[in-house]
Amino acid sequence: MNYVSTRDKSVKVSAATAIARGISVEGGLFVPDTFPKFNEKDFENLSKLDYKARAKFVLKHFLNDFTEQEVDYCVEGAYTGSFDNEQPAPIALLGKNANILELWHGPTCAFKDLALQLLPYLLTTSAKKVAGGKKIVILVATSGDTGKAALEGFKDVEDTEILVFYPSEGVSPMQKLQMSSQKGDNVHVCAIVGNFDDAQTGVKKIFTNNEVKEKLAKNNMQFSSANSINWGRLAPQIVYYVSAYCDMLARGEELKDGFNIVVPTGNFGNILAAYYAKKMGVPVNKLICASNANNVLTDFIKTGVYNRNRDFYTTISPSMDILISSNLERMLFELYDNDDKAVAALQDSLSQNGEFKVTDEVKSALSELFWGGCCDDKATVDTIEKYFKEYAYLADTHTAVALNVYEQYVKETGDDRATVIASTASPYKFAKSVLSAVTDEKSDSEFGEVKLLCEVTNTEIPEPIAALENATARFTDICEKENMLEAVYNSLNIK
């Protein structure tokens, strides 16, 4: 297996190079040129194993230049002692068919932990192979959860520096506190005046600026990414969909007709990982893409036109407040049968005109694989209330979007087969909005809301959230989006 760029497939690199670079020189994203195929016997064997063993089995197929010992070291380091009850991705069954895949039992209470606890091990192992002793500088744009998970994963990791940009008014108070109070000598955090798309665009521009790369090289540094544009971020996400299927098999679930997967998504990475699991043999029937009011992906799936020229909404599910879904580029590469020139042209059109349109053939293939739906903030709050009343299950504002769209899909199609619903964050990360859904009682402080939510719902406050009550902000800088490069240089003490 080699890794090729979505915009120039003549670029072929090893896994270590793809992970260390994060992004290809011309701005394309790295993808495997082949995918492993697992059979029924593989899944039967995996269903008897724990999460770590499943992760090693899946990841060794993608890490083509890692030894078995290196894969073992990375996985053991990431998933030992980091997750509640040593179970990174447990399932809660609601009713007959709704399997809630809880991906928020890690150190930052969000699904990004499952990848970002592993990425530092993958990246430092890769750097030793291909980076020639350079310090790795990780640039991150975040809509909330990636930033904290990346900071936590990379804090005080040798020979790395990490700088996170987030929209100053586009994350929840809890997410902001998590990032601004981050400990570690090699971490840096900066808010920007703008939205997530501004942060993501700014980071990509810095990544692909040759003058900047040369300046870093002179200081014995090179860039990499902890966003899901980095294959080392995306590959671990495939694991939990494989694992969910194995858990259902172990439970004796009858899945001869396959199952559906619902993912609340803005940047398309999490649902893309589910597609890759399907491509590798997991019997997924339909991939259901759930959006909030920023429904650019819903419209794309229904019309074949991707158009970011629309109003941007700041919602109560802020990790999905995205209009430029960077990982969609990898899906386009699949849908266009690895036609790099076609993908490059689509991305150029998006950059220059804010939109692109796929061919009728690609639109048909897209509709066959995906179903898209969306809901606004009111429907999100109503869904939280409904599931708490009916099942005593407390969902966060992103999981509630997925639950709402799941119901829309079943109502429209009649397809009520077994379904995995990705639950992406603890409800306590969005305490104010979740509290408003289950009670009229209020508090005038962030941690007052957290404690009240605990009392009203009789649920447990996650320890990482409770520990923030007395945290103080270390990072208070805010910059204009045009000044992000200056912030990078300042953080790295580069003149």
Side-chain angles (χ1 to χ4, degrees), residues 409-457:
Y409 172 79
V410 173
K411 183 177 180 180
E412 181 172 315
T413 66
D415 178 10
D416 63 349
R417 75 187 72 197
T419 301
V420 168
I421 299 165
S423 178
T424 54
S426 164
Y428 284 91
K429 293 195 76 167
F430 308 93
K432 182 175 184 178
S433 298
V434 175
L435 185 65
S436 72
V438 296
T439 183
D440 292 330
E441 296 183 52
K442 296 181 180 179
S443 175
D444 58 3
S445 71
E446 179 77 9
F447 280 93
E449 291 162 351
V450 167
K451 292 173 182 177
L452 185 55
L453 184 61
C454 171
E455 293 170 10
V456 169
T457 63

Side-chain angles (χ1 to χ4, degrees), residues 270-288:
N270 204 0
I271 198 165
L272 177 66
Y275 166 76
Y276 284 147
K278 172 182 172 74
K279 185 179 173 73
M280 291 158 57
V282 176
V284 180
N285 172 59
K286 205 74 169 182
L287 294 156
I288 301 166

Side-chain angles (χ1 to χ4, degrees), residues 167 169-171 194-195 292-294 311-318 321 377:
E169 302 302 322
V171 300
N195 58 40
N292 61 16
N294 295 294
D311 290 336
F312 177 89
Y313 299 102
T314 299
T315 74
I316 60 172
S317 46
D321 290 348
D377 280 356

Side-chain angles (χ1 to χ4, degrees), residues 42 82 93 123 165 217 255 271 360 408 452 474:
D42 290 326
S82 302
L93 182 62
L123 187 55
F165 291 101
L255 298 169
I271 198 165
D360 289 343
Q408 292 179 41
L452 185 55
R474 292 179 63 201

Side-chain angles (χ1 to χ4, degrees), residues 14 112 118 198 459:
S14 68
K112 310 294 175 74
L118 182 61
D198 296 324
T459 55

Side-chain angles (χ1 to χ4, degrees), residues 20 44 139 160 162 173 320 348 366-367 382 386 438:
E44 182 183 334
L139 286 190
T160 67
I162 178 167
M320 299 159 65
D348 284 344
L366 184 71
S367 299
D382 289 346
K386 175 184 177 179
V438 296

Side-chain angles (χ1 to χ4, degrees), residues 262-399:
V262 187
V263 185
T265 189
N267 218 17
F268 207 77
N270 204 0
I271 198 165
L272 177 66
Y275 166 76
Y276 284 147
K278 172 182 172 74
K279 185 179 173 73
M280 291 158 57
V282 176
V284 180
N285 172 59
K286 205 74 169 182
L287 294 156
I288 301 166
C289 180
S291 301
N292 61 16
N294 295 294
N295 60 346
V296 63
L297 285 169
T298 305
D299 289 349
F300 173 61
I301 290 167
K302 290 180 177 179
T303 68
V305 176
Y306 192 98
N307 187 346
R308 65 172 173 83
N309 300 316
R310 59 178 68 207
D311 290 336
F312 177 89
Y313 299 102
T314 299
T315 74
I316 60 172
S317 46
S319 296
M320 299 159 65
D321 290 348
I322 296 170
L323 294 180
I324 303 174
S325 305
S326 61
N327 262 294
L328 185 61
E329 181 170 337
R330 285 185 167 114
M331 192 69 230
L332 293 170
F333 191 70
E334 285 278 320
L335 293 168
Y336 276 87
D337 293 324
N338 299 3
D339 185 342
D340 52 348
K341 291 181 173 57
V343 172
L346 292 172
Q347 295 304 311
D348 284 344
S349 178
L350 181 64
S351 177
Q352 294 172 18
N353 308 313
E355 67 176 331
F356 62 75
K357 182 178 181 179
V358 299
T359 64
D360 289 343
E361 183 181 15
V362 167
K363 180 181 178 295
S364 177
L366 184 71
S367 299
E368 185 70 23
L369 290 166
F370 296 92
W371 191 92
C374 59
C375 72
D376 61 15
D377 280 356
K378 182 181 184 305
T380 301
V381 169
D382 289 346
T383 303
I384 294 170
E385 179 185 28
K386 175 184 177 179
Y387 277 81
F388 185 67
K389 283 183 175 178
E390 291 187 9
Y391 298 103
Y393 189 82
L394 194 62
D396 87 292
T397 51
H398 303 77
T399 306

Side-chain angles (χ1 to χ4, degrees), residues 83-381:
F83 293 84
D84 296 340
N85 303 315
E86 297 297 301
Q87 295 183 48
I91 287 176
L93 182 62
L94 302 187
K96 181 183 176 184
N97 290 322
N99 294 269
I100 312 299
L101 180 61
E102 294 184 344
L103 302 171
W104 41 265
H105 290 279
T108 77
C109 303
F111 80 100
K112 310 294 175 74
D113 287 329
L114 281 101
L116 283 164
Q117 284 295 296
L118 182 61
L119 182 59
Y121 290 92
L122 296 178
L123 187 55
T124 52
T125 303
S126 296
K128 288 175 183 176
K129 297 175 184 291
V130 299
K134 291 186 177 69
K135 176 176 280 192
I136 302 295
V137 177
I138 300 132
L139 286 190
V140 179
T142 185
S143 54
D145 288 334
T146 289
K148 172 59 180 178
L151 290 162
E152 189 65 26
F154 280 95
K155 70 176 180 184
D156 294 326
V157 171
E158 190 176 356
D159 294 325
T160 67
E161 296 281 340
I162 178 167
L163 174 58
V164 170
F165 291 101
Y166 71 91
S168 60
E169 302 302 322
V171 300
S172 77
M174 190 64 73
Q175 289 173 316
K176 185 178 291 188
L177 180 58
Q178 282 186 309
M179 288 186 283
S180 65
S181 63
Q182 177 65 50
K183 296 177 181 179
D185 292 336
N186 64 334
V187 303
H188 314 273
V189 180
C190 184
I192 70 159
V193 179
N195 58 40
F196 169 75
D197 292 325
D198 296 324
Q200 181 169 249
T201 298
V203 164
K204 273 199 165 186
K205 284 181 179 178
I206 294 169
F207 258 116
T208 53
N209 185 318
N210 288 328
E211 184 179 331
V212 176
K213 286 189 282 189
E214 288 174 11
K215 199 164 195 175
L216 255 70
K218 288 179 181 177
N219 287 272
N220 202 36
M221 300 177 183
Q222 76 172 55
F223 282 133
S224 190
S225 172
N227 285 90
S228 55
I229 57 174
N230 190 321
W231 179 256
R233 245 291 304 277
L234 194 58
Q237 295 180 255
I238 299 169
V239 174
Y240 50 71
Y241 293 112
V242 172
S243 184
Y245 174 47
C246 292
D247 281 343
M248 289 192 290
L249 287 178
R251 196 175 67 210
E253 190 87 20
E254 177 52 65
L255 298 169
K256 66 178 186 298
D257 295 325
F259 63 97
N260 298 325
I261 296 178
V262 187
V263 185
T265 189
N267 218 17
F268 207 77
N270 204 0
I271 198 165
L272 177 66
Y275 166 76
Y276 284 147
K278 172 182 172 74
K279 185 179 173 73
M280 291 158 57
V282 176
V284 180
N285 172 59
K286 205 74 169 182
L287 294 156
I288 301 166
C289 180
S291 301
N292 61 16
N294 295 294
N295 60 346
V296 63
L297 285 169
T298 305
D299 289 349
F300 173 61
I301 290 167
K302 290 180 177 179
T303 68
V305 176
Y306 192 98
N307 187 346
R308 65 172 173 83
N309 300 316
R310 59 178 68 207
D311 290 336
F312 177 89
Y313 299 102
T314 299
T315 74
I316 60 172
S317 46
S319 296
M320 299 159 65
D321 290 348
I322 296 170
L323 294 180
I324 303 174
S325 305
S326 61
N327 262 294
L328 185 61
E329 181 170 337
R330 285 185 167 114
M331 192 69 230
L332 293 170
F333 191 70
E334 285 278 320
L335 293 168
Y336 276 87
D337 293 324
N338 299 3
D339 185 342
D340 52 348
K341 291 181 173 57
V343 172
L346 292 172
Q347 295 304 311
D348 284 344
S349 178
L350 181 64
S351 177
Q352 294 172 18
N353 308 313
E355 67 176 331
F356 62 75
K357 182 178 181 179
V358 299
T359 64
D360 289 343
E361 183 181 15
V362 167
K363 180 181 178 295
S364 177
L366 184 71
S367 299
E368 185 70 23
L369 290 166
F370 296 92
W371 191 92
C374 59
C375 72
D376 61 15
D377 280 356
K378 182 181 184 305
T380 301
V381 169

